[in-house]
């Protein structure tokens, strides 16, 4: 299969979109498929997994590179002649690729990864919300198939009138993220640094940005016997540090790979604070490490956290429920262990190999739909008999 992968985000930027795209490309390479990659030209490599990477003109918006529409996109797609276009979190660049596919007769699969409704609510955008959904609908209505990561996202897109939807979650690296990380010398040393008196470690991993609401950790002020570890970086670090001043917090910075796995290994529980997640990849990583998760009952976490089994869901905005959930786990080591084991079992079927094979099935569905449209006979209107 020949796949043109068009992504609004790619290396050196590391986020959920980039991670998913890299996993897809790695899978395509292992399967002997062919691919090209079209991304914003903001320091991106010229190749990945042996596939050529093409950069398009870019502007910076809120610290993120945004690919601009360019005639180069259609030329690249036409020259490569892919069987399918994969548009990751499509915006300006992805919308152009989907439109080019429509003109060239090439099917497209759009990956939805932006919580428009949550962003609008948080920023009190009011009338702008309807406009935002019109833009989303305009982008996705041209795709042969839109893949959504969660039941909450599915409901949002259905309400917005977007058709041709299917569920596709995200995989997790079950080897890198594993309960055995807790026993490594590096994790033991880090834990001694974070919790020198044997405190229960409450961990967070992710961007430190307004939509992540990391300042909600302030609800834990005064909870006895805990230490907080924060992994990540972002524009809200100064604000969050002010909100958490005086609390037992260790700032570990931005980590990846083995260092991130080590950090997870030092946690006793994982606390997710944002209410705008379309999925929640760090929740899966925590579960893969055998760590129970506490998260708001909103967006992607609803599908990932089985309340009372592998963690707790608290009502968004309820500091008392968030705090009570942490206290319940911190005071019961048997419950911590039981929920951690359940979390690991939850993600065992969700390795990236399985999820990417599922994606290939979605590609085939989109291709078959486009073929059916081409060969469908043109029906001539039936004229009613005149009396």
């Amino acid at each position: 299969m020949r796949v043109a992968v068009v992504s609004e985000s790619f290396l050196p930027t590391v986020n959920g979109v980039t991670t998913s795209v890299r996993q897809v490309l790695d899978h395509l390479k292992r399967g002997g498929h062919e691919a090209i990659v079209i991304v914003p030209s903001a320091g991106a490599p010229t190749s990945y997994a042996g596939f050529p990477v093409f950069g398009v003109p870019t502007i910076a918006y809120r610290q993120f590179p945004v690919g601009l529409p360019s005639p180069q996109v259609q030329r690249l797609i036409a020259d490569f002649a892919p069987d399918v276009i994969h548009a990751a979190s499509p915006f300006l660049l992805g919308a152009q690729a989907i439109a080019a596919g429509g003109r060239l007769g090439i099917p497209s699969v759009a990956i939805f990864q932006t919580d428009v409704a949550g962003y609008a609510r948080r920023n009190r955008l009011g009338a702008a919300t309807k406009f935002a959904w019109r833009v989303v609908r305009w982008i996705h209505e041209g795709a042969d198939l839109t893949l959504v990561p969660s039941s909450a996202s599915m409901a949002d897109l259905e309400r917005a009138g977007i058709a041709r939807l299917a569920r596709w979650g995200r995989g997790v690296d079950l080897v890198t993220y594993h309960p055995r990380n807790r026993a490594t010398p590096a994790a033991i040393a880090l834990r001694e640094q974070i919790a020198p008196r044997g405190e229960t470690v409450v961990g967070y991993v992710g961007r430190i940005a307004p939509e992540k609401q990391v300042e909600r950790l302030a609800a834990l002020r005064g909870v006895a016997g805990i230490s907080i570890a924060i992994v990540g970086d972002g524009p809200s670090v100064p604000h969050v540090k002010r909100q958490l001043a005086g609390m037992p917090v260790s700032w570990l910075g931005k980590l990846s790979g083995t260092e991130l796995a080590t950090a997870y290994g030092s946690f006793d529980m994982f606390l997710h604070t944002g209410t705008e997640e379309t999925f929640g990849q760090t929740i899966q990583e925590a579960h893969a490490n055998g760590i129970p998760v506490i998260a708001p009952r909103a967006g992607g976490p609803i599908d990932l956290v089985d309340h009372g089994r592998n963690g707790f869901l608290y009502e968004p905005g309820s500091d008392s429920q968030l705090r009570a959930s942490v206290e319940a786990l911190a005071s019961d080591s048997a419950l911590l262990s039981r929920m951690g084991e359940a979390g690991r079992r939850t993600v065992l079927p969700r390795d990236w190999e399985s999820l990417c094979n599922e994606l290939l099935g979605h590609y085939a569905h989109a291709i078959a739909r486009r073929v059916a449209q081409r060969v469908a006979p043109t029906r001539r209107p039936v004229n009613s008999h005149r009396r």
Side-chain angles (χ1 to χ4, degrees), residues 180-229:
R180 62 171 171 261
N181 290 330
R182 192 172 183 82
T184 64
I188 292 170
L190 180 58
R191 183 179 175 83
E192 290 175 350
Q193 172 190 326
I194 296 168
R197 291 175 292 279
E199 299 94 335
T200 300
V201 178
V202 181
Y204 168 84
V205 175
R207 263 177 59 79
I208 317 298
E211 69 274 11
K212 302 299 185 181
Q213 300 171 260
V214 186
E215 63 274 8
R216 295 291 306 283
L217 290 168
L220 302 181
R221 188 178 297 276
V223 174
I226 67 166
S227 289
I228 299 168

Short mmCIF file of all heavy atoms in Angstrom, two decimals, residues 180-229:
data_model
loop_
_atom_site.label_atom_id
_atom_site.label_comp_id
_atom_site.label_asym_id
_atom_site.label_seq_id
_atom_site.Cartn_x
_atom_site.Cartn_y
_atom_site.Cartn_z
N ARG A 180 7.85 -3.56 35.74
CA ARG A 180 9.21 -3.84 36.20
C ARG A 180 10.05 -2.56 36.32
O ARG A 180 11.10 -2.58 36.98
CB ARG A 180 9.91 -4.83 35.27
CG ARG A 180 10.10 -4.35 33.85
CD ARG A 180 10.98 -5.28 33.03
NE ARG A 180 10.95 -4.91 31.63
CZ ARG A 180 10.20 -5.49 30.71
NH1 ARG A 180 9.42 -6.50 31.05
NH2 ARG A 180 10.21 -5.08 29.46
N ASN A 181 9.61 -1.47 35.69
CA ASN A 181 10.35 -0.21 35.80
C ASN A 181 10.50 0.23 37.25
O ASN A 181 11.46 0.91 37.61
CB ASN A 181 9.66 0.89 35.01
CG ASN A 181 9.74 0.68 33.51
OD1 ASN A 181 10.69 0.09 33.02
ND2 ASN A 181 8.73 1.14 32.78
N ARG A 182 9.55 -0.16 38.07
CA ARG A 182 9.56 0.26 39.48
C ARG A 182 10.78 -0.29 40.23
O ARG A 182 11.24 0.32 41.19
CB ARG A 182 8.27 -0.21 40.15
CG ARG A 182 8.03 0.39 41.52
CD ARG A 182 6.63 0.02 42.02
NE ARG A 182 6.36 0.64 43.30
CZ ARG A 182 5.94 1.89 43.46
NH1 ARG A 182 5.75 2.65 42.40
NH2 ARG A 182 5.71 2.38 44.66
N ALA A 183 11.30 -1.43 39.74
CA ALA A 183 12.41 -2.09 40.45
C ALA A 183 13.77 -1.72 39.89
O ALA A 183 14.79 -2.21 40.39
CB ALA A 183 12.21 -3.60 40.38
N THR A 184 13.84 -0.86 38.89
CA THR A 184 15.15 -0.50 38.33
C THR A 184 15.90 0.42 39.30
O THR A 184 15.29 1.20 40.03
CB THR A 184 14.98 0.21 36.98
OG1 THR A 184 14.31 1.46 37.18
CG2 THR A 184 14.20 -0.64 36.00
N PRO A 185 17.22 0.33 39.30
CA PRO A 185 18.00 1.22 40.18
C PRO A 185 17.70 2.70 39.95
O PRO A 185 17.65 3.48 40.90
CB PRO A 185 19.45 0.87 39.83
CG PRO A 185 19.39 -0.54 39.32
CD PRO A 185 18.08 -0.64 38.60
N ALA A 186 17.50 3.07 38.69
CA ALA A 186 17.23 4.48 38.38
C ALA A 186 15.92 4.94 38.99
O ALA A 186 15.82 6.05 39.55
CB ALA A 186 17.21 4.69 36.87
N ALA A 187 14.87 4.10 38.92
CA ALA A 187 13.58 4.47 39.49
C ALA A 187 13.64 4.51 41.01
O ALA A 187 13.03 5.39 41.64
CB ALA A 187 12.51 3.49 39.02
N ILE A 188 14.36 3.56 41.59
CA ILE A 188 14.50 3.54 43.06
C ILE A 188 15.22 4.81 43.54
O ILE A 188 14.80 5.45 44.51
CB ILE A 188 15.26 2.28 43.51
CG1 ILE A 188 14.41 1.03 43.23
CG2 ILE A 188 15.64 2.36 44.98
CD1 ILE A 188 15.15 -0.28 43.41
N ALA A 189 16.28 5.20 42.83
CA ALA A 189 17.02 6.41 43.20
C ALA A 189 16.15 7.65 43.03
O ALA A 189 16.17 8.56 43.89
CB ALA A 189 18.28 6.53 42.35
N LEU A 190 15.37 7.72 41.95
CA LEU A 190 14.50 8.87 41.72
C LEU A 190 13.43 8.93 42.79
O LEU A 190 13.11 10.02 43.30
CB LEU A 190 13.86 8.78 40.34
CG LEU A 190 12.92 9.92 39.95
CD1 LEU A 190 13.66 11.27 40.00
CD2 LEU A 190 12.34 9.69 38.56
N ARG A 191 12.89 7.80 43.16
CA ARG A 191 11.86 7.78 44.19
C ARG A 191 12.41 8.26 45.53
O ARG A 191 11.74 8.99 46.27
CB ARG A 191 11.30 6.36 44.32
CG ARG A 191 10.16 6.27 45.32
CD ARG A 191 9.59 4.86 45.43
NE ARG A 191 8.59 4.85 46.48
CZ ARG A 191 7.34 5.24 46.30
NH1 ARG A 191 6.95 5.66 45.11
NH2 ARG A 191 6.49 5.20 47.30
N GLU A 192 13.63 7.87 45.84
CA GLU A 192 14.24 8.33 47.09
C GLU A 192 14.44 9.85 47.08
O GLU A 192 14.35 10.51 48.11
CB GLU A 192 15.58 7.62 47.30
CG GLU A 192 15.41 6.14 47.65
CD GLU A 192 16.75 5.42 47.75
OE1 GLU A 192 17.79 6.04 47.35
OE2 GLU A 192 16.77 4.26 48.18
N GLN A 193 14.69 10.39 45.89
CA GLN A 193 14.84 11.84 45.74
C GLN A 193 13.49 12.55 45.91
O GLN A 193 13.40 13.58 46.59
CB GLN A 193 15.41 12.15 44.37
CG GLN A 193 15.44 13.63 44.00
CD GLN A 193 15.80 13.83 42.53
OE1 GLN A 193 16.59 13.07 41.95
NE2 GLN A 193 15.21 14.84 41.91
N ILE A 194 12.43 11.98 45.30
CA ILE A 194 11.11 12.61 45.34
C ILE A 194 10.45 12.43 46.70
O ILE A 194 9.79 13.36 47.21
CB ILE A 194 10.21 12.00 44.24
CG1 ILE A 194 10.77 12.30 42.86
CG2 ILE A 194 8.78 12.53 44.35
CD1 ILE A 194 10.09 11.50 41.75
N ALA A 195 10.60 11.23 47.26
CA ALA A 195 9.89 10.90 48.50
C ALA A 195 10.89 10.35 49.52
O ALA A 195 10.90 9.15 49.82
CB ALA A 195 8.81 9.87 48.21
N PRO A 196 11.75 11.20 50.07
CA PRO A 196 12.82 10.74 50.96
C PRO A 196 12.33 10.10 52.25
O PRO A 196 13.07 9.33 52.89
CB PRO A 196 13.62 12.02 51.23
CG PRO A 196 12.65 13.14 50.99
CD PRO A 196 11.77 12.67 49.90
N ARG A 197 11.09 10.38 52.65
CA ARG A 197 10.55 9.79 53.88
C ARG A 197 9.49 8.72 53.58
O ARG A 197 8.66 8.41 54.41
CB ARG A 197 9.94 10.89 54.75
CG ARG A 197 10.99 11.84 55.35
CD ARG A 197 10.37 12.99 56.11
NE ARG A 197 9.67 13.91 55.20
CZ ARG A 197 10.28 14.84 54.48
NH1 ARG A 197 11.60 14.99 54.54
NH2 ARG A 197 9.59 15.63 53.67
N GLY A 198 9.55 8.19 52.37
CA GLY A 198 8.63 7.11 52.02
C GLY A 198 7.23 7.57 51.69
O GLY A 198 6.28 6.78 51.77
N GLU A 199 7.08 8.84 51.29
CA GLU A 199 5.76 9.34 50.95
C GLU A 199 5.18 8.62 49.73
O GLU A 199 5.92 8.05 48.93
CB GLU A 199 5.82 10.85 50.63
CG GLU A 199 6.29 11.72 51.79
CD GLU A 199 7.78 12.00 51.75
OE1 GLU A 199 8.52 11.16 51.15
OE2 GLU A 199 8.21 13.02 52.29
N THR A 200 3.87 8.66 49.60
CA THR A 200 3.20 8.16 48.41
C THR A 200 3.37 9.19 47.30
O THR A 200 3.08 10.38 47.50
CB THR A 200 1.70 7.94 48.68
OG1 THR A 200 1.54 6.97 49.73
CG2 THR A 200 0.99 7.43 47.43
N VAL A 201 3.86 8.75 46.13
CA VAL A 201 4.16 9.68 45.05
C VAL A 201 2.97 9.80 44.10
O VAL A 201 2.52 8.80 43.52
CB VAL A 201 5.42 9.24 44.28
CG1 VAL A 201 5.69 10.21 43.12
CG2 VAL A 201 6.62 9.17 45.22
N VAL A 202 2.49 11.02 43.95
CA VAL A 202 1.42 11.34 43.00
C VAL A 202 2.08 11.98 41.78
O VAL A 202 2.70 13.03 41.88
CB VAL A 202 0.41 12.32 43.61
CG1 VAL A 202 -0.71 12.63 42.61
CG2 VAL A 202 -0.17 11.76 44.90
N GLY A 203 1.98 11.33 40.62
CA GLY A 203 2.69 11.80 39.43
C GLY A 203 1.79 12.40 38.38
O GLY A 203 0.61 12.04 38.26
N TYR A 204 2.35 13.34 37.63
CA TYR A 204 1.69 13.92 36.46
C TYR A 204 2.69 13.94 35.32
O TYR A 204 3.87 14.28 35.52
CB TYR A 204 1.21 15.35 36.74
CG TYR A 204 0.78 16.08 35.47
CD1 TYR A 204 -0.49 15.92 34.97
CD2 TYR A 204 1.69 16.88 34.76
CE1 TYR A 204 -0.88 16.55 33.78
CE2 TYR A 204 1.31 17.52 33.58
CZ TYR A 204 0.04 17.35 33.10
OH TYR A 204 -0.33 17.97 31.93
N VAL A 205 2.23 13.60 34.11
CA VAL A 205 3.06 13.68 32.90
C VAL A 205 2.26 14.40 31.83
O VAL A 205 1.12 14.04 31.54
CB VAL A 205 3.46 12.28 32.39
CG1 VAL A 205 4.23 12.40 31.08
CG2 VAL A 205 4.30 11.55 33.42
N GLY A 206 2.86 15.43 31.23
CA GLY A 206 2.18 16.12 30.13
C GLY A 206 2.67 17.55 30.00
O GLY A 206 3.52 18.02 30.77
N ARG A 207 2.11 18.24 29.00
CA ARG A 207 2.44 19.65 28.83
C ARG A 207 1.92 20.45 30.02
O ARG A 207 0.88 20.13 30.60
CB ARG A 207 1.81 20.19 27.54
CG ARG A 207 2.80 20.20 26.38
CD ARG A 207 2.15 20.65 25.11
NE ARG A 207 1.57 21.98 25.15
CZ ARG A 207 2.24 23.13 25.05
NH1 ARG A 207 3.55 23.10 24.93
NH2 ARG A 207 1.62 24.28 25.07
N ILE A 208 2.66 21.51 30.34
CA ILE A 208 2.21 22.43 31.39
C ILE A 208 1.62 23.63 30.65
O ILE A 208 2.31 24.60 30.35
CB ILE A 208 3.37 22.85 32.33
CG1 ILE A 208 4.25 21.65 32.68
CG2 ILE A 208 2.81 23.52 33.57
CD1 ILE A 208 3.54 20.55 33.43
N ALA A 209 0.36 23.52 30.31
CA ALA A 209 -0.31 24.51 29.47
C ALA A 209 -1.72 24.75 30.03
O ALA A 209 -2.23 23.92 30.79
CB ALA A 209 -0.37 24.03 28.02
N PRO A 210 -2.36 25.86 29.65
CA PRO A 210 -3.67 26.17 30.22
C PRO A 210 -4.68 25.05 30.12
O PRO A 210 -5.42 24.77 31.07
CB PRO A 210 -4.11 27.41 29.42
CG PRO A 210 -2.83 28.08 29.03
CD PRO A 210 -1.88 26.95 28.77
N GLU A 211 -4.74 24.38 28.94
CA GLU A 211 -5.76 23.35 28.76
C GLU A 211 -5.52 22.11 29.62
O GLU A 211 -6.42 21.30 29.85
CB GLU A 211 -5.84 22.93 27.29
CG GLU A 211 -4.65 22.18 26.75
CD GLU A 211 -3.53 23.09 26.24
OE1 GLU A 211 -3.60 24.32 26.50
OE2 GLU A 211 -2.60 22.59 25.59
N LYS A 212 -4.31 21.95 30.15
CA LYS A 212 -3.99 20.79 30.98
C LYS A 212 -4.40 20.99 32.45
O LYS A 212 -4.45 20.03 33.21
CB LYS A 212 -2.51 20.45 30.90
CG LYS A 212 -2.01 20.17 29.49
CD LYS A 212 -2.71 18.98 28.87
CE LYS A 212 -2.13 18.65 27.51
NZ LYS A 212 -2.80 17.49 26.87
N GLN A 213 -4.60 22.24 32.86
CA GLN A 213 -5.12 22.57 34.19
C GLN A 213 -4.30 21.93 35.32
O GLN A 213 -4.85 21.45 36.31
CB GLN A 213 -6.58 22.14 34.30
CG GLN A 213 -7.49 22.81 33.28
CD GLN A 213 -8.89 22.22 33.25
OE1 GLN A 213 -9.22 21.41 32.40
NE2 GLN A 213 -9.73 22.62 34.19
N VAL A 214 -2.99 21.96 35.17
CA VAL A 214 -2.13 21.32 36.18
C VAL A 214 -2.22 22.02 37.53
O VAL A 214 -1.97 21.42 38.58
CB VAL A 214 -0.66 21.29 35.67
CG1 VAL A 214 0.23 20.51 36.63
CG2 VAL A 214 -0.59 20.66 34.29
N GLU A 215 -2.64 23.27 37.53
CA GLU A 215 -2.81 23.99 38.80
C GLU A 215 -3.86 23.34 39.69
O GLU A 215 -3.93 23.63 40.90
CB GLU A 215 -3.18 25.46 38.54
CG GLU A 215 -4.50 25.69 37.82
CD GLU A 215 -4.37 25.64 36.31
OE1 GLU A 215 -3.29 25.27 35.79
OE2 GLU A 215 -5.37 25.96 35.63
N ARG A 216 -4.69 22.43 39.12
CA ARG A 216 -5.68 21.72 39.93
C ARG A 216 -5.01 20.88 41.01
O ARG A 216 -5.67 20.48 41.99
CB ARG A 216 -6.53 20.82 39.05
CG ARG A 216 -7.42 21.52 38.02
CD ARG A 216 -8.56 22.28 38.69
NE ARG A 216 -9.33 21.44 39.57
CZ ARG A 216 -10.24 20.55 39.18
NH1 ARG A 216 -10.47 20.38 37.91
NH2 ARG A 216 -10.91 19.85 40.07
N LEU A 217 -3.72 20.60 40.88
CA LEU A 217 -2.99 19.86 41.91
C LEU A 217 -2.99 20.60 43.24
O LEU A 217 -2.73 20.00 44.29
CB LEU A 217 -1.55 19.60 41.45
CG LEU A 217 -1.38 18.58 40.32
CD1 LEU A 217 0.04 18.65 39.78
CD2 LEU A 217 -1.70 17.18 40.78
N ALA A 218 -3.28 21.88 43.22
CA ALA A 218 -3.37 22.65 44.47
C ALA A 218 -4.44 22.10 45.39
O ALA A 218 -4.42 22.35 46.61
CB ALA A 218 -3.64 24.12 44.15
N ALA A 219 -5.40 21.34 44.86
CA ALA A 219 -6.43 20.72 45.69
C ALA A 219 -5.84 19.74 46.69
O ALA A 219 -6.49 19.37 47.67
CB ALA A 219 -7.46 20.01 44.81
N LEU A 220 -4.58 19.33 46.47
CA LEU A 220 -3.93 18.36 47.36
C LEU A 220 -3.14 19.03 48.48
O LEU A 220 -2.50 18.34 49.28
CB LEU A 220 -3.00 17.46 46.54
CG LEU A 220 -3.65 16.68 45.40
CD1 LEU A 220 -2.61 15.82 44.69
CD2 LEU A 220 -4.80 15.83 45.91
N ARG A 221 -3.21 20.35 48.55
CA ARG A 221 -2.48 21.05 49.61
C ARG A 221 -2.93 20.55 50.98
O ARG A 221 -4.12 20.51 51.28
CB ARG A 221 -2.72 22.55 49.50
CG ARG A 221 -1.83 23.38 50.44
CD ARG A 221 -2.07 24.87 50.26
NE ARG A 221 -1.72 25.34 48.93
CZ ARG A 221 -0.49 25.67 48.57
NH1 ARG A 221 0.51 25.56 49.44
NH2 ARG A 221 -0.25 26.09 47.33
N GLY A 222 -1.98 20.14 51.78
CA GLY A 222 -2.28 19.69 53.14
C GLY A 222 -2.54 18.21 53.28
O GLY A 222 -2.66 17.71 54.40
N VAL A 223 -2.64 17.47 52.17
CA VAL A 223 -2.82 16.02 52.27
C VAL A 223 -1.54 15.40 52.83
O VAL A 223 -0.45 15.61 52.28
CB VAL A 223 -3.15 15.39 50.89
CG1 VAL A 223 -3.20 13.86 51.01
CG2 VAL A 223 -4.48 15.91 50.37
N ALA A 224 -1.66 14.68 53.92
CA ALA A 224 -0.48 14.15 54.61
C ALA A 224 0.09 12.94 53.87
O ALA A 224 -0.64 12.15 53.27
CB ALA A 224 -0.86 13.75 56.04
N GLY A 225 1.40 12.81 53.92
CA GLY A 225 2.07 11.61 53.45
C GLY A 225 2.19 11.46 51.95
O GLY A 225 2.40 10.35 51.45
N ILE A 226 2.08 12.57 51.20
CA ILE A 226 2.25 12.47 49.75
C ILE A 226 3.35 13.41 49.28
O ILE A 226 3.67 14.40 49.92
CB ILE A 226 0.95 12.80 48.96
CG1 ILE A 226 0.57 14.28 49.12
CG2 ILE A 226 -0.20 11.89 49.38
CD1 ILE A 226 -0.48 14.76 48.14
N SER A 227 3.93 13.07 48.13
CA SER A 227 4.82 13.95 47.39
C SER A 227 4.33 13.98 45.96
O SER A 227 3.78 12.99 45.46
CB SER A 227 6.27 13.47 47.44
OG SER A 227 6.83 13.64 48.73
N ILE A 228 4.51 15.10 45.28
CA ILE A 228 4.02 15.28 43.92
C ILE A 228 5.21 15.38 42.97
O ILE A 228 6.17 16.10 43.24
CB ILE A 228 3.14 16.55 43.81
CG1 ILE A 228 1.92 16.42 44.73
CG2 ILE A 228 2.72 16.80 42.37
CD1 ILE A 228 1.16 17.72 44.91
N ALA A 229 5.15 14.64 41.86
CA ALA A 229 6.19 14.70 40.84
C ALA A 229 5.55 15.13 39.53
O ALA A 229 4.56 14.53 39.08
CB ALA A 229 6.86 13.34 40.67
#
